[in-house]
Amino acid sequence: MIDLDISFFIQLANFIITLLVLNLLMFRPIREIIRKRSELMSDQLSKVENFTNSANSKVKDYEVALDGTRREGMDIRNDFKEQGAKEEQALLSAAGKVAAVTLKEARAEVASEKGAALKVLDGEIEAFAQKVTAKVLG
């Protein structure tokens, strides 16, 4: 059986005093440091979450703006293509007209040269015919 003599109470008082001193010198400051660290970590975590949310929001806004700009760029490019096609048709039409006029002039010039050559040859037909008959008849 346990004897409860005066040494038990001295040890109990010694234990309680040691516990109080340790609480004042070690446990309370450590708990305070842990509490402050916990608050700091929660503050940092909330800041990181806010920053992440803000960054995601900015990325979404950027993507929306980028999509809008791409659509606008495609519209501008399509407009330029249409304008280019119209100008190409106009240039080809004008070039076709110029080519037709040039071809008509060239045909007229060839026809006039043909007529002049026929007139010259008509005048020389008699002379050629006489030369040929002279050679054939000998």
Side-chain angles (χ1 to χ4, degrees), residues 24 58 73 86 89 97 102 104 116 118 123 138:
L24 285 174
K58 288 178 182 179
K86 288 177 184 177
Q89 287 297 325
K97 288 178 183 178
T102 305
K104 184 178 177 183
L118 284 176

Side-chain angles (χ1 to χ4, degrees), residues 3 7 20 26 31 40 44 52 62 71 76 79-82 91 103 105-107 112-113 118 121-122 126 130:
D3 291 332
S7 67
L20 290 175
M26 285 183 67
R31 281 190 304 226
L40 178 67
Q44 292 294 329
T52 303
Y62 173 75
R71 274 190 244 112
I76 291 171
D79 289 344
F80 281 140
K81 276 186 176 180
E82 289 175 9
L91 289 173
L103 184 62
E105 289 174 356
R107 285 183 180 165
S112 69
E113 288 178 3
L118 284 176
L121 288 177
D122 276 343
E126 277 299 318
Q130 286 177 0

Side-chain angles (χ1 to χ4, degrees), residues 62-107:
Y62 173 75
E63 287 175 353
V64 167
L66 189 62
D67 287 341
T69 304
R70 282 184 182 146
R71 274 190 244 112
E72 186 178 319
M74 287 180 70
D75 291 343
I76 291 171
R77 188 179 80 200
N78 290 337
D79 289 344
F80 281 140
K81 276 186 176 180
E82 289 175 9
Q83 288 176 359
K86 288 177 184 177
E87 288 182 23
E88 179 185 17
Q89 287 297 325
L91 289 173
L92 288 175
S93 175
K97 288 178 183 178
V98 168
V101 168
T102 305
L103 184 62
K104 184 178 177 183
E105 289 174 356
R107 285 183 180 165

Side-chain angles (χ1 to χ4, degrees), residues 20-33:
L20 290 175
V21 169
L22 284 176
N23 189 26
L24 285 174
L25 295 177
M26 285 183 67
F27 298 143
R28 194 174 290 164
I30 289 174
R31 281 190 304 226
E32 184 67 23
I33 290 171

Side-chain angles (χ1 to χ4, degrees), residues 40-56:
L40 178 67
M41 293 303 288
S42 66
D43 287 344
Q44 292 294 329
L45 183 62
S46 67
K47 286 179 183 178
V48 167
E49 287 174 353
N50 288 339
F51 180 77
T52 303
N53 291 337
S54 173
N56 288 338

